[in-house]
């Protein structure tokens, strides 16, 4: 009996030992999982900078709309970036709390790399956020490595605020309200203004903006430079074309200053370098604008009397020219094609394109840009004019999207709007032709009865890729455009 009892006790003791080992191993596994729960759950989501098209690999952070510990919703704007061609607003993919900004305003962000961290558990407490995202125990430690100062408060204000907290004077905190507004709205300046401030080596947050909502304008920068240089510069300094440039010293040595290219200039450098591989040939012709001048005058008079919100109230020559080019492309589709070289066989081929997406070269505050009017063949002259007005307005404020700047098949460059009668335009590498337009000027000419009459004439200059377009084809296509512009009433027959 006692033997059986001792065996039962030993059996129970072995079972208890086995249970203890099982429980101990489970506790170890659970503890290990608990310490790594942040990584497995992936509460903090790094947001990658998406590809915004045209092979862009990096872009400049123009301004942030959020700051660390700020609550964001899905599709709410996070920041504005400036690529080689345009500025784009980046929106949030998640709803939650911003944990980390990888870049400061003005720095270059890499496409495909994280630029902000968002905690998708937006309702978590601050203690939980610190435990999940940062090893530092301090509350400010989560944002210090990335945003050392609050976006709503410039660095000068924080340092001065710390000093004034120890001062017995009580009347000095009142002037601190103006820098807060100034630093906040200075970041809303357009890319052209920000580039100007960088070229002149000026901190834009130090400038009092006079634009809407405190935005900094170019005039504000020029006035700031004038005040800064007033002790050493003469009074007539602002009359210079570059008010921020210092007067060079009178010396015998040549002084060279290195200035980095802007994003737009860098893109133009790469594009024109690729264009060097294209053998150009130039074809020029004189076009009589007299009838188009009269038709445009009558249409503008009618449009002024019955203008609607969706149409351009004033027509220029350019919409008629763009429409005439589209009509010529139907007869000579090779002008609308592009050259494609097979990477394996190195055999070239022509790729014909159905839509006429005509790019228009524009002189903008940030430099030369070529926005695209899509599917011109399906638009009327008024429709072309309305889209052209939209692109011009967006380009003036730096709000062109990547879609506005991509997909062109032929380019029109109106150099006459700036000045000059003749031009030799350069072909873009994805196209085979470009049209340069000189200024319209009044000249004396002979009519059919040999009488001297007043004519409005303009010179058209075509550049074509001589690898695939021969001179006769370009001359015939250019002649179609010339006849349509000289007889604008016949353009009605080609409207779709």
């Amino acid at each position: 009996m006692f033997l059986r009892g001792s065996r039962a006790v030993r059996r129970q003791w072995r079972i208890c030992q086995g249970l203890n080992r099982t429980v101990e191993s489970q506790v170890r596994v659970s503890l290990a999982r608990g310490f790594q729960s942040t990584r497995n759950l992936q509460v903090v989501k790094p947001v990658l900078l998406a590809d915004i098209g045209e092979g862009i690999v990096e872009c400049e952070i123009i301004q942030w709309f959020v700051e660390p510990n700020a609550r964001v919703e899905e599709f709410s704007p996070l920041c504005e970036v400036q690529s080689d061609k345009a500025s784009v607003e980046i929106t949030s993919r998640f709803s939650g709390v911003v944990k980390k900004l990888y870049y400061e305003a003005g720095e270059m962000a890499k496409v495909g790399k994280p630029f902000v961290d968002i905690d998708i558990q937006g309702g978590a407490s601050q203690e939980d956020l610190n435990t999940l995202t940062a090893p530092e125990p301090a509350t400010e430690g989560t944002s210090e490595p990335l945003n050392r100062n609050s976006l709503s408060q410039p660095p000068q204000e924080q340092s001065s605020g710390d000093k004034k907290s120890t001062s017995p004077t009580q009347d000095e905190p009142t002037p601190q309200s103006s820098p807060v507004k100034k630093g906040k709205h200075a970041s809303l300046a357009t890319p052209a203004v920000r580039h100007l401030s960088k070229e002149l080596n000026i901190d834009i947050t130090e400038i009092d903006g006079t634009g809407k909502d405190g935005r900094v304008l170019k005039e504000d920068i020029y006035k700031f430079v004038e005040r800064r240089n007033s002790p050493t510069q003469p009074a007539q300094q602002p009359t210079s074309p570059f008010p921020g440039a210092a007067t060079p010293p009178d010396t015998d040595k040549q002084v060279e200053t290195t200035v980095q290219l802007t994003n737009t200039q860098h893109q133009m450098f790469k594009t024109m370098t690729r264009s060097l591989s294209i053998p150009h040939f130039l074809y020029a012709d004189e076009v009589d604008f007299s009838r188009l001048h009269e038709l445009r005058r009558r249409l503008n008079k009618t449009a002024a009397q019955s203008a609607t919100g969706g149409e351009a109230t004033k027509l220029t020559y350019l919409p008629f020219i763009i429409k005439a080019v589209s009509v010529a492309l139907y007869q000579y589709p090779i002008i609308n094609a592009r050259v494609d070289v097979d990477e394996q066989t190195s055999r070239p081929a022509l790729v014909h394109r159905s839509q006429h997406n005509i790019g228009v070269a524009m002189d903008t505050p940030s430099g030369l840009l070529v926005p695209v009017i899509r599917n011109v063949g399906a638009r009327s002259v008024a429709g072309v004019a309305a889209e052209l007005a939209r692109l011009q307005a967006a380009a003036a404020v730096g709000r062109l999207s990547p879609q506005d700047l991509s997909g062109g098949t032929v380019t029109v460059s109106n150099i006459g709007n700036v000045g000059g009668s003749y031009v030799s335009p350069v072909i873009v590498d994805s196209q085979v032709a470009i049209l340069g337009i000189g200024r319209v000027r009044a000249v004396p000419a002979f009519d059919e009865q040999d009488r001297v009459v007043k004519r409005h004439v303009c010179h058209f200059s075509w550049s074509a890729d001589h690898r695939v377009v021969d001179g006769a084809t370009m001359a015939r296509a250019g002649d179609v455009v010339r006849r349509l512009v000289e007889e604008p009433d016949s353009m009605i027959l080609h409207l779709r």
Side-chain angles (χ1 to χ4, degrees):
M1 179 177 178
F2 288 105
L3 181 60
R4 293 178 181 174
S6 61
R7 291 177 179 174
V9 171
R10 285 197 298 271
R11 189 181 302 112
Q12 290 179 357
W13 182 75
R14 293 192 190 99
I15 293 174
C16 290
Q17 275 193 330
L19 290 175
N20 288 335
R21 294 193 194 97
T22 303
V23 171
E24 185 178 0
S25 62
Q26 290 179 351
V27 170
R28 290 176 180 173
V29 171
S30 63
L31 288 175
R33 289 180 178 175
F35 285 121
Q36 299 177 359
S37 59
T38 301
R39 183 176 300 174
N40 293 336
L41 291 176
Q42 294 183 346
V43 175
V44 177
K45 292 284 187 180
V47 181
L48 305 182
L49 184 58
D51 185 6
I52 57 179
E54 293 295 304
I56 295 172
V57 298
E58 64 179 5
C59 51
E60 180 185 1
I61 302 291
I62 298 299
Q63 59 176 322
W64 285 100
F65 301 116
V66 296
E67 57 186 13
N69 301 326
R71 176 76 184 180
V72 294
E73 302 296 333
E74 189 177 5
F75 303 118
S76 60
L78 294 175
C79 66
E80 180 183 2
V81 299
Q82 172 76 33
S83 67
D84 293 338
K85 294 185 175 181
S87 60
V88 181
E89 284 189 1
I90 305 298
T91 58
S92 174
R93 296 174 52 193
F94 312 102
S95 296
V97 175
V98 176
K99 293 299 299 176
K100 180 178 180 180
L101 304 180
Y102 284 78
Y103 304 95
E104 298 285 352
E107 294 182 347
M108 301 300 294
K110 298 292 185 180
V111 173
K113 300 295 183 180
F115 73 104
V116 63
D117 283 352
I118 296 180
D119 180 5
I120 60 174
Q121 290 186 350
S125 63
Q126 185 61 45
E127 291 77 9
D128 296 334
L129 294 177
N130 292 335
T131 304
L132 292 172
T133 59
E136 292 84 2
T139 305
E140 295 82 3
T142 56
S143 61
E144 183 177 356
L146 308 162
N147 248 17
R148 298 172 179 82
N149 303 302
S150 173
L151 291 179
S152 61
Q153 192 174 21
Q156 295 86 345
E157 181 194 0
Q158 291 185 346
S159 60
S160 61
D162 295 338
K163 294 179 181 179
K164 293 186 178 182
S165 63
T166 60
S167 175
T169 306
Q170 298 180 356
D171 296 332
E172 291 185 0
T174 53
Q176 295 297 320
S177 58
S178 57
V180 175
K181 181 178 180 181
K182 175 178 63 177
K184 179 179 180 180
H185 295 294
S187 62
L188 299 179
T190 61
V193 175
R194 298 182 66 87
H195 284 305
L196 178 62
S197 66
K198 288 184 178 181
E199 291 177 359
L200 300 180
N201 195 21
I202 296 174
D203 185 0
I204 198 170
T205 59
E206 298 180 358
I207 303 176
D208 291 313
T210 59
K212 183 179 179 182
D213 296 329
R215 293 173 184 261
V216 176
L217 307 177
K218 283 187 176 181
E219 292 76 8
D220 301 328
I221 296 180
Y222 292 150
K223 291 179 181 178
F224 180 84
V225 174
E226 179 184 358
R227 291 194 300 268
R228 186 185 65 178
N229 299 335
S230 57
T232 57
Q233 297 296 328
Q236 61 273 18
Q237 178 66 21
T239 58
S240 172
F242 303 98
T247 303
D250 188 8
T251 177
D252 295 335
K253 294 183 178 180
Q254 176 67 279
V255 179
E256 296 183 352
T257 304
T258 301
V259 179
Q260 297 298 324
L261 298 180
T262 64
N263 289 338
T264 303
Q265 290 173 329
H266 183 63
Q267 178 67 19
M268 184 170 62
F269 178 88
K270 294 189 296 184
T271 302
M272 293 297 101
T273 301
R274 292 193 299 266
S275 297
L276 290 176
S277 62
I278 302 175
H280 290 54
F281 80 89
L282 181 66
Y283 170 79
D285 198 2
E286 185 178 83
V287 183
D288 187 354
F289 271 57
S290 299
R291 295 185 180 180
L292 179 59
H293 176 79
E294 180 61 24
L295 175 63
R296 171 177 166 267
R297 186 188 64 81
R298 289 187 284 108
L299 291 177
N300 282 332
K301 183 178 179 180
T302 304
Q305 296 174 353
S306 59
T308 60
E311 297 180 355
T313 57
K314 185 177 180 181
L315 286 172
T316 62
Y317 296 120
L318 193 54
F320 293 93
I321 299 173
I322 293 174
K323 187 62 182 179
V325 171
S326 176
V327 173
L329 294 181
Y330 281 114
Q331 301 182 34
Y332 298 93
I334 189 176
I335 307 299
N336 198 54
R338 65 178 176 86
V339 178
D340 183 47
V341 179
D342 189 275
E343 295 181 356
Q344 297 180 352
T345 63
S346 299
R347 289 183 59 86
L350 273 176
V351 179
H352 288 264
R353 296 175 280 198
S354 59
Q355 288 189 345
H356 304 159
N357 299 334
I358 299 180
V360 182
M362 294 184 183
D363 179 31
T364 70
S366 58
L368 173 64
L369 296 177
V370 188
V372 177
I373 302 177
R374 299 185 179 278
N375 202 11
V376 176
R379 298 177 183 265
S380 63
V381 174
V384 173
E387 179 66 6
L388 180 62
R390 183 191 71 82
L391 294 174
Q392 288 172 336
V397 296
R399 303 300 297 178
L400 289 171
S401 66
Q403 290 74 22
D404 292 332
L405 294 162
S406 60
T409 58
V410 171
T411 300
V412 174
S413 178
N414 184 17
I415 193 64
N417 189 40
V418 179
S421 302
Y422 307 95
V423 61
S424 178
V426 180
I427 306 169
V428 182
D429 60 342
S430 60
Q431 302 174 11
V432 299
I434 182 175
L435 169 62
I437 305 170
R439 63 184 177 90
V440 179
R441 66 190 193 280
V443 297
F446 292 101
D447 62 3
E448 291 78 5
Q449 286 77 31
D450 291 336
R451 294 174 299 186
V452 177
V453 294
K454 181 181 179 181
R455 299 288 190 193
H456 292 85
V457 298
C458 176
H459 287 90
F460 283 6
S461 303
W462 293 86
S463 287
D465 187 345
H466 216 340
R467 297 174 300 178
V468 293
V469 180
D470 56 71
T473 301
M474 188 70 261
R476 294 188 183 99
D479 191 61
V480 172
V481 177
R482 180 189 62 79
R483 285 188 279 108
L484 289 172
V485 173
E486 290 185 345
E487 300 287 343
D489 296 337
S490 63
M491 205 176 299
I492 301 175
L493 302 175
H494 303 279
L495 296 180
R496 292 172 179 260

